[in-house]
Amino acid sequence: MKTLKIPEATIIRLSVYSRHLTDVDRKGIVTISSGDIAEGVGVSPAQVRKDLAYFGEFGTRGVGYNVKDLHRHILKILGLSQDWSVCLVGMGNLSLALTTYKGFRERGFIITSIFDNDPQKIGTTVNGVEVLPVDRLEEVAKANKTQIGIISVPSPYAQEIADKLISAGVQAILNFAPVVLNVPPEVELRNVDLAVNLEVLTFNVGTRRS
């Protein structure tokens, strides 16, 4: 892989390409062109070629890409050639939806532990995983060698949970709480604020109407 900084938008598109290649492979298609990929995901062929060029030479000019080989390369680039141990903190409706999403396991994200502080939820089982009390988070996350933590708790508790995850050695956090978290530079943080994304949509719709 080249040492230049890869745009985040490229990484996002690689994930989309990967899912498209999964669908194409299931249909038994062996070879695919940049134009085919572009048509399938809604970008230009030049964009597909540019995104892939960050990581080396793939395919054969005039022939295209071998679907399985390209998919394998992209999975490796995205770090998906291995399984990732994930813990989920906060067992609300959003978390329930996340635990039932089959795409996580298919992509190698394995929810190995779930935590909550509600006595009525602690001890229950969600998709084969027991809901444990939050005060066991560090102990269990360390034992499971958890690499990724998902925070889905009310805002006032999010930083405390983040601190526990970091103390347990978690390397990356996906945060659904609408609050800014403080994490050390070595911990990857991705914030998903659903309200902000909806507001971007309404802004764009309103701009088109004006």
Side-chain angles (χ1 to χ4, degrees):
M1 186 185 302
K2 299 177 181 178
T3 56
L4 62 137
K5 182 174 176 59
I6 310 299
E8 184 172 298
T10 290
I11 304 303
I12 293 172
R13 284 191 294 269
L14 285 181
S15 180
V16 176
Y17 300 160
S18 172
R19 288 196 293 270
H20 180 62
L21 290 170
T22 297
D23 293 337
V24 168
D25 187 37
R26 285 172 178 165
K27 295 175 182 176
I29 297 172
V30 177
T31 305
I32 193 168
S33 69
S34 57
D36 294 332
I37 297 173
E39 183 178 356
V41 303
V43 300
S44 70
Q47 185 65 70
V48 173
R49 292 191 293 270
K50 181 179 179 181
D51 289 336
L52 295 176
Y54 281 109
F55 304 95
E57 299 293 331
F58 304 99
T60 304
R61 185 180 297 275
V63 176
Y65 309 96
N66 179 279
V67 171
K68 289 185 182 295
D69 286 346
L70 182 60
H71 191 210
R72 186 174 63 253
H73 283 304
I74 292 178
L75 290 178
K76 185 175 181 180
I77 290 167
L78 294 174
L80 299 180
S81 54
Q82 67 175 70
D83 286 342
W84 295 83
S85 174
V86 180
C87 76
L88 179 58
V89 189
M91 195 57 234
N93 291 333
L94 175 60
S95 299
L96 181 61
L98 294 176
T99 60
T100 57
Y101 176 52
K102 294 181 180 178
F104 280 161
R105 181 170 287 274
E106 290 174 355
R107 306 284 283 180
F109 300 107
I110 313 300
I111 296 178
T112 54
S113 57
I114 302 172
F115 303 91
D116 202 280
N117 62 359
D118 184 342
Q120 293 186 337
K121 296 176 181 177
I122 294 170
T124 61
T125 300
V126 181
N127 288 324
V129 181
E130 183 182 359
V131 180
L132 302 172
V134 171
D135 59 15
R136 292 195 59 196
L137 192 160
E138 293 174 70
E139 164 208 344
V140 175
K142 286 179 180 178
N144 289 338
K145 295 182 170 56
T146 301
Q147 298 139 305
I148 300 174
I150 300 178
I151 296 177
S152 181
V153 300
S155 299
Y157 307 102
Q159 185 63 57
E160 177 185 352
I161 297 302
D163 292 341
K164 288 179 180 292
L165 291 170
I166 294 165
S167 176
V170 165
Q171 301 165 345
I173 295 174
L174 181 63
N175 174 42
F176 283 96
V179 63
V180 177
L181 298 179
N182 295 313
V183 303
E186 64 270 17
V187 174
E188 292 292 329
L189 173 66
R190 166 73 56 171
N191 294 298
V192 182
D193 190 322
L194 300 180
V196 168
N197 283 282
L198 286 171
E199 288 158 10
V200 170
L201 291 176
T202 56
F203 169 81
N204 290 334
V205 170
T207 301
R208 288 199 208 108
R209 289 176 178 172
S210 59

